[in-house]
C-alpha cells in the first residue's frame, strides 16, 4: 500500500483495521471477509501518544469502545517476525499492518534478491496463520508526475514482484480534500479495475468516505504548476 509522504496511508489502513476489529461487513463499499475480527498494527512512525490522539480524533465519543481490544498495536520491532508468530499462534488475526516497510528492512531496497529474502519471512507467516499482511511503502521522488503504476514504488522490482496486490494512494491534483485509491497490481483483479481510481473524500476527523466517482489514471498526474 504505497504513496508519497503525507497522503494519509496510515489513516486509511487504521480505518480499515478498526472496521475489521468492529466486525463490520463492509468497508468503503467492499466486503470484509474476517474470521477473527482481530488486527495487529506494527507502528514504526507513531508512538503511543500519537496513536492515542489519532484514534480519539477519528473515533470521537466512541474512543473507549470494547472492540478496540481486538486492535493491537506493536511499537517494538525487535525480533518482529518471531513476535508476530507467537502472537498469531496464541490469538489468530485477520490482518497484520506494517507501517512502514522501510523502517523494518535495513538493507538496500534496490537489491531484489535481498528484498525478496526478507519478505519471504512474512510470507511464511501468511501461509502458517492464514493472515493478510499489508505493508505501507513509499513511492519514488517525482512519481506523481506520472500516472499511478506499480513501477512507482521506491526500490527494486522485488517488492512489487513479491506482492500479490499493489495499491497506490494519491492526492487529487486539483482538490486536496480528495484522495484516489488506485489498484495498480492484482493477481486476481480484472484489468478494467486497474485503469481508473476510486475517488474518496478525506474528512477533517481523519476518516475516508467513498464517492461515486472513478477517475482515469492519466488525469491524476501532478504538473509542476500543481505542486506550486
Amino acid at each position: 500500500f504505497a504513496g508519497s509522504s503525507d497522503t494519509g496511508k496510515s489513516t486509511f489502513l487504521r480505518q480499515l483495521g478498526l472496521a475489521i476489529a468492529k466486525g463490520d461487513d463492509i468497508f468503503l463499499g467492499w466486503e470484509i471477509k474476517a474470521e477473527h475480527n482481530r488486527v495487529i498494527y506494527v507502528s514504526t512512525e507513531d508512538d503511543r501518544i500519537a496513536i492515542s490522539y489519532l484514534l480519539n480524533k477519528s473515533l470521537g465519543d466512541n474512543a473507549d469502545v470494547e472492540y478496540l481490544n481486538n486492535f493491537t498495536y506493536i511499537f517494538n520491532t525487535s525480533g518482529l517476525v518471531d513476535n508476530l508468530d507467537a502472537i498469531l499462534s496464541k490469538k489468530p488475526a485477520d490482518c497484520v499492518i506494517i507501517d512502514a516497510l522501510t523502517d523494518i528492512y535495513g538493507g538496500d531496497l534496490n537489491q531484489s534478491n535481498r528484498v525478496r529474502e526478507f519478505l519471504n519471512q512474512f510470507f511464511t507467516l501468511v501461509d502458517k496463520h492464514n493472515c493478510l499482511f499489508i505493508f505501507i511503502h513509499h513511492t519514488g521522488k517525482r512519481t506523481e508526475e506520472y500516472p499511478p503504476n506499480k513501477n512507482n514504488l521506491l526500490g527494486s522490482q522485488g517488492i512489487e514482484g513479491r506482492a500479490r496486490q499493489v495499491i497506490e494512494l494519491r492526492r487529487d491534483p486539483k482538490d486536496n480534500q480528495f484522495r484516489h485509491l488506485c489498484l495498480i497490481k492484482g493477481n486476481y483483479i480484472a484489468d478494467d479495475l486497474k485503469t481508473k481510481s476510486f475517488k474518496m473524500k478525506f474528512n477533517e476527523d481523519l476518516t475516508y468516505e467513498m464517492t461515486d466517482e472513478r477517475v482515469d489514471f492519466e488525469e491524476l498526474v501532478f504538473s509542476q504548476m500543481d505542486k506550486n
Side-chain angles (χ1 to χ4, degrees), residues 37-208:
N37 298 124
R38 279 193 292 272
V39 175
I40 299 171
Y41 197 114
V42 180
S43 177
T44 64
E45 297 186 341
D46 293 312
D47 59 17
R48 289 175 173 82
I49 295 175
I51 293 300
S52 177
Y53 167 79
L54 292 169
L55 287 173
N56 277 281
K57 178 77 172 178
S58 59
L59 293 174
D61 295 336
N62 297 317
D64 295 325
V65 293
E66 184 177 353
Y67 69 78
L68 288 177
N69 293 324
N70 297 334
F71 195 40
T72 301
Y73 269 91
I74 294 177
F75 299 98
N76 182 4
T77 58
S78 177
L80 181 60
V81 174
D82 290 339
N83 190 21
L84 287 172
D85 188 21
I87 293 173
L88 291 169
S89 296
K90 186 176 181 179
K91 279 190 173 184
D94 300 287
C95 180
V96 174
I97 299 166
I98 297 181
D99 183 3
L101 173 60
T102 51
D103 289 333
I104 64 168
Y105 176 68
D108 185 349
L109 285 172
N110 293 309
Q111 292 187 341
S112 182
N113 60 327
R114 294 289 181 86
V115 171
R116 292 179 70 92
E117 182 181 352
F118 175 78
L119 291 176
N120 281 342
Q121 303 175 89
F122 296 95
F123 272 80
T124 299
L125 297 181
V126 170
D127 293 335
K128 180 178 180 180
H129 298 288
N130 192 30
C131 179
L132 170 67
F133 272 66
I134 304 175
F135 292 86
I136 290 183
H137 192 41
H138 299 285
T139 50
K141 293 182 179 179
R142 301 184 65 179
T143 53
E144 288 184 328
E145 297 177 10
Y146 304 94
N149 189 284
K150 62 184 180 181
N151 296 321
N152 291 341
L153 269 65
L154 187 67
S156 76
Q157 189 274 339
I159 297 175
E160 68 88 5
R162 196 66 182 90
R164 294 295 184 187
Q165 186 174 32
V166 181
I167 299 172
E168 183 176 343
L169 184 66
R170 184 170 290 205
R171 292 176 180 271
D172 189 277
K174 299 178 180 179
D175 192 336
N176 197 44
Q177 70 174 322
F178 293 102
R179 300 289 189 273
H180 295 267
L181 199 70
C182 307
L183 310 182
I184 52 180
K185 176 188 173 180
N187 291 12
Y188 312 108
I189 297 176
D191 288 340
D192 61 354
L193 293 177
K194 305 175 191 176
T195 57
K196 293 183 178 182
S197 75
F198 293 87
K199 187 175 181 179
M200 303 179 296
K201 185 179 179 183
F202 192 25
N203 299 312
E204 292 185 1
D205 62 355
L206 303 181
T207 60
Y208 287 91

